[in-house]
Amino acid sequence: MKKERGQHKRVGLVLSAGGLRGLYAHTGFMQAVQKADIPFHCMAGCSAGAIIATCHAAGLSPDAIEQEVCKLRRSDFYHPGSWFGLLISMIFRQGRGFMGLSPTNGMVENLRRVLPVQSFSECRLPLSLIAVNLTKGEKEILQEGSLASAAAASAAIPYFYEPVCIDGALYCDGGAYERTPKEAICCHHHLDLLIVHEIGTDELDVETRDFQRRDWPMLRLAGRLFYTWLRTPRSYGLSEEICACGCGATIITLRPELPVLDQNESQTAETILYTAMNQAARHFQEIHDPDLGWKVLQPFAESQTCGHEKTI
């Protein structure tokens, strides 16, 4: 049975996959959560969402996360090898040794540098990250061990990055299996309310003719195919559902409408961050009161749709 909104006490947050744009958008969302004074008890994340969720659970404030994210450059975490070396590997070595364009050790080391604590057991609240265990060929929820390795594993996009090795198993981007790991925490922490911040990929917001004007159009087209296969949602706004397991928890999903991340990443990053923050703040005003708690929405705001839409 659905619980009345005002009865919600235990709240969980889920941050979805979303590429580099997701890092900025989730950072803005967490600032909106803080400003709305919304208490929450656990977090889950996938890919970009895993990185921001890890930073928060490890003890970084939303402002501190913003400082780290806004000074981040693609070269800090993505170091593809030479195309000549790749060609040699493919032709003369049958591809042996090639598992991704960029190693993940730079991503792991950067995370270790900024995180106040280094293990799941030291986090200030329960954290669950989703990744794909390539060794076993199945989705896995990471909840123990090294935070930096787990977050990097959840964000290691196949072929773009080498898999991350954890305890002898190889892991890659959890978004290859599931973008919003709601079930990772919803029914495991006796939640009343789950708030999901779901980010679409900007690859689906770029006109096809514009790919020829951007760097590495072949890889961007591959990214478009990947996210189309995952049926990345392209509806914007607020939606609601009840957890399918029957626990009665309400799941509220916020899907912000964001600008495309262009060549001038530093300027666009700030725009994406504040756009996501302002949209989340507006939605929180509709559904949450710091004194009275969660409101009943009658009705929910209608979402604008563009392209294909995920049915809830």
Side-chain angles (χ1 to χ4, degrees):
M1 179 179 295
K2 180 180 176 179
K3 303 174 185 179
E4 289 297 324
R5 190 67 54 83
Q7 296 177 347
H8 290 144
K9 296 180 180 180
R10 291 190 59 80
V11 179
L13 298 184
V14 173
L15 307 183
S16 77
L20 186 56
R21 186 167 69 160
L23 290 179
Y24 307 129
H26 289 317
T27 299
F29 171 76
M30 293 306 301
Q31 290 182 324
V33 170
Q34 181 184 55
K35 291 179 180 179
D37 193 24
I38 296 176
F40 55 97
H41 303 82
C42 55
M43 296 185 75
C46 175
S47 197
I51 292 176
I52 300 303
T54 297
C55 288
H56 183 89
L60 288 177
S61 68
D63 288 341
I65 296 174
E66 179 186 358
Q67 291 178 6
E68 292 294 337
V69 166
C70 285
K71 69 182 182 182
L72 195 63
R73 296 295 176 265
R74 199 180 296 266
S75 58
D76 294 333
F77 56 86
Y78 187 59
H79 306 96
S82 70
W83 289 103
F84 179 75
L86 173 59
L87 185 64
I88 294 297
S89 174
M90 291 299 179
I91 295 177
F92 298 104
R93 303 174 187 168
Q94 291 75 49
R96 287 193 297 272
F98 173 77
M99 299 181 69
L101 293 174
S102 172
T104 50
N105 56 339
M107 191 190 314
V108 172
E109 290 306 316
N110 271 307
L111 283 167
R112 285 176 179 160
R113 176 182 58 82
V114 302
L115 294 177
V117 300
Q118 299 300 319
S119 68
F120 280 86
S121 61
E122 298 174 281
C123 289
R124 56 181 171 180
L125 79 172
L127 173 68
S128 301
L129 307 179
I130 187 173
V132 175
N133 185 324
L134 295 171
T135 304
K136 295 181 178 180
E138 61 188 23
K139 174 188 73 174
E140 191 167 316
I141 299 172
L142 305 177
Q143 297 175 317
E144 59 183 20
S146 166
L147 285 172
S149 295
S154 182
I157 303 173
Y159 303 112
F160 288 84
Y161 286 97
E162 296 175 353
V164 176
C165 185
I166 301 176
D167 296 330
L170 296 176
Y171 292 84
C172 75
D173 195 332
Y177 191 98
E178 183 179 12
R179 291 175 49 80
T180 55
K182 294 175 283 191
E183 84 291 345
I185 59 173
C186 184
C187 304
H188 299 284
H189 294 280
H190 307 291
L191 298 179
D192 300 297
L193 176 65
L194 189 65
I195 302 175
V196 180
H197 194 233
E198 187 168 11
I199 309 301
T201 172
D202 61 352
E203 297 296 354
L204 295 180
D205 293 329
V206 178
E207 294 293 337
T208 302
R209 63 177 179 272
D210 291 336
F211 278 97
Q212 294 182 353
R213 306 171 190 168
R214 307 181 81 186
D215 294 338
W216 302 111
M218 181 180 67
L219 295 182
R220 294 184 181 275
L221 286 170
R224 172 174 282 227
L225 178 62
F226 177 71
Y227 286 109
T228 301
W229 171 65
L230 288 174
R231 294 192 61 79
T232 301
R234 300 187 72 186
S235 60
Y236 308 114
L238 198 65
S239 63
E240 179 185 22
E241 62 181 316
I242 302 301
C243 182
C245 78
C247 69
T250 300
I251 300 176
I252 295 177
T253 301
L254 282 67
R255 298 189 184 99
E257 185 173 6
L258 303 170
V260 173
L261 187 63
D262 62 20
Q263 299 292 336
N264 192 343
E265 291 182 359
S266 60
Q267 292 184 8
T268 316
E270 184 174 325
T271 302
I272 292 171
L273 191 153
Y274 286 107
T275 299
M277 181 181 69
N278 291 333
Q279 290 186 32
R282 185 175 68 251
H283 289 314
F284 287 146
Q285 288 177 354
E286 298 176 26
I287 62 177
H288 181 262
D289 184 284
D291 298 320
L292 302 178
W294 298 96
K295 306 174 186 177
V296 176
L297 292 183
Q298 295 287 345
F300 265 90
E302 294 185 1
S303 298
Q304 297 178 352
T305 61
C306 176
H308 59 264
E309 181 180 4
K310 182 179 180 180
T311 302
I312 295 180

